[in-house]
Amino acid sequence: MSRCATVSRSLDEPVSATAATATTWLLLEQPGPWGAKALTSSHLDPAVGRALETAAEGTGVRVALIRRPGRHADPGTSELRQVYAAHTAPGRTWLHAATTRDPRHLLGLDLPALGAGDHGSFGAVLGGRPHTGDPLALVCTNGKRDRCCALLGRPLAAELAASGEGGIWEVTHLGGHRFAPTVLVLPYGYVYGRAEAPTLKRALDGVREDRVAVEGCRGCSAFDPPGQAAELAVREVAGEYRAGVLGVVRTEGTAPRWAVTVAHADGRRWRVTVARGASLPPRPESCGAAVLGTPARMTVVAVRELRPTALAS
């Protein structure tokens, strides 16, 4: 039986504008096996996982579990767990780290504030501080959610970790199983699909130089799909690969067509026309899908740099 990632690749489905949307990522280390809905089907207390899910709704925060690459034994003790919070809005990006022995402490976080970019509660509740180590690469490996993530993601995470690259974690769910291996790179929040070790190494090296690698990039999680498509298109047209200098400042229109305004930190602006269509022929959107689907496909129709007179209109 064909895997969803194999079919997607064979159909040459574009990966652009398919990243999960989240202004802030909250990541908790949880050893051991994960179920399909890991926050409530792992060795994490399901009541804690359910409370975090509920608290995050509508805040812009996406909560996920992480674990080190390799064997997934859980010693069953209250060992020290790593916690990260990352805000991905361009120009206001931050990545903070903390540790805890009791995941219930995360219930004290102000998730609406975290989603808006205020890390005050992360410091007050967990003693969080700015992360000073390597950038993070979070590889989706949850085979109970989709087998492609385990079959393709786990070997990639192991290869990256064995190469000496720091900051490598497995993560529960990033969406877009058919683009496996799929990887979130922090602090800037760009997601990559059909990732291979050399591509990810270039992306991580780019983060160290405050650059964005666009090869295999699904988009920045700070933006919705039309914004993701528009920002990546402007990077290509303008040859601008510095991180944090482009932002989506306006999206006009409704599906299936939008006019997205992308602004540069230096004052330049572009208007990008984005249209939504359906990916044909129908294909499995995940290995567990009972029926074939036609996932949304964002197409950049036009990119126009706005002159000062156009900006005033």
Side-chain angles (χ1 to χ4, degrees):
M1 186 170 117
S2 295
R3 300 196 302 262
C4 66
T6 303
V7 174
S8 177
R9 186 186 291 268
S10 70
L11 293 173
D12 199 25
E13 183 180 355
V15 303
S16 175
T18 64
T21 300
T23 55
T24 300
W25 293 83
L26 178 60
L27 308 166
L28 168 66
E29 183 177 3
Q30 175 57 57
W34 298 331
K37 296 184 177 181
L39 281 177
T40 54
S41 55
S42 69
H43 289 182
L44 176 69
D45 181 346
V48 173
R50 193 172 298 110
L52 285 171
E53 278 186 326
T54 300
E57 289 178 3
T59 66
V61 175
R62 190 175 177 107
V63 185
L65 304 181
I66 59 175
R67 64 191 177 197
R68 298 287 187 184
R71 294 182 67 251
H72 299 142
D74 185 351
T77 59
S78 58
E79 62 181 12
L80 203 62
R81 302 165 186 245
Q82 187 67 50
V83 188
Y84 294 106
H87 188 64
T88 60
R92 299 188 292 118
T93 300
W94 49 259
L95 171 60
H96 284 209
T99 56
T100 185
R101 292 188 183 277
D102 187 351
R104 290 176 296 181
H105 290 160
L106 274 68
L107 300 178
L109 295 174
D110 185 339
L111 295 192
L114 278 178
D118 180 356
H119 50 70
S121 71
F122 194 75
V125 173
L126 298 175
R129 296 288 183 271
H131 175 67
T132 57
D134 290 305
L136 305 184
L138 300 122
V139 185
C140 188
T141 64
N142 190 353
K144 290 295 175 64
R145 186 110 188 181
D146 191 280
R147 61 177 179 158
C148 282
C149 296
L151 292 172
L152 301 175
R154 289 194 64 194
L156 175 63
E159 181 180 357
L160 288 168
S163 74
E165 188 71 60
I168 309 301
W169 293 87
E170 297 185 6
V171 68
T172 48
H173 182 51
L174 296 178
H177 316 293
R178 64 192 185 278
F179 302 120
T182 184
V183 184
L184 168 67
V185 175
L186 295 174
Y188 295 120
Y190 287 84
V191 180
Y192 294 84
R194 302 191 188 116
E196 298 178 350
T199 305
L200 261 297
K201 283 181 171 291
R202 286 192 289 272
L204 291 168
D205 286 342
V207 172
R208 295 180 180 103
E209 299 168 3
D210 293 324
R211 292 185 294 104
V212 175
V214 297
E215 180 184 358
C217 188
R218 296 176 58 193
C220 177
S221 69
F223 309 133
D224 62 12
Q228 292 173 16
E231 190 245 11
L232 288 175
V234 170
R235 287 195 178 279
E236 294 280 14
V237 167
E240 177 58 87
Y241 302 108
R242 287 175 292 171
V245 298
L246 293 178
V248 174
V249 295
R250 184 180 303 116
T251 300
E252 301 168 291
T254 56
R257 196 175 182 91
W258 300 266
V260 183
T261 303
V262 177
H264 194 290
D266 65 11
R268 287 180 291 163
R269 292 196 175 199
W270 293 262
R271 184 158 294 155
V272 184
T273 304
V274 179
R276 186 185 71 190
S279 295
L280 295 171
R283 76 283 314 273
E285 295 186 57
S286 68
C287 290
V291 297
L292 301 181
T294 53
R297 180 172 183 158
M298 296 293 169
T299 300
V300 173
V301 177
V303 181
R304 178 169 64 95
E305 185 171 356
L306 300 176
R307 303 301 174 189
T309 52
L311 293 174
S313 63

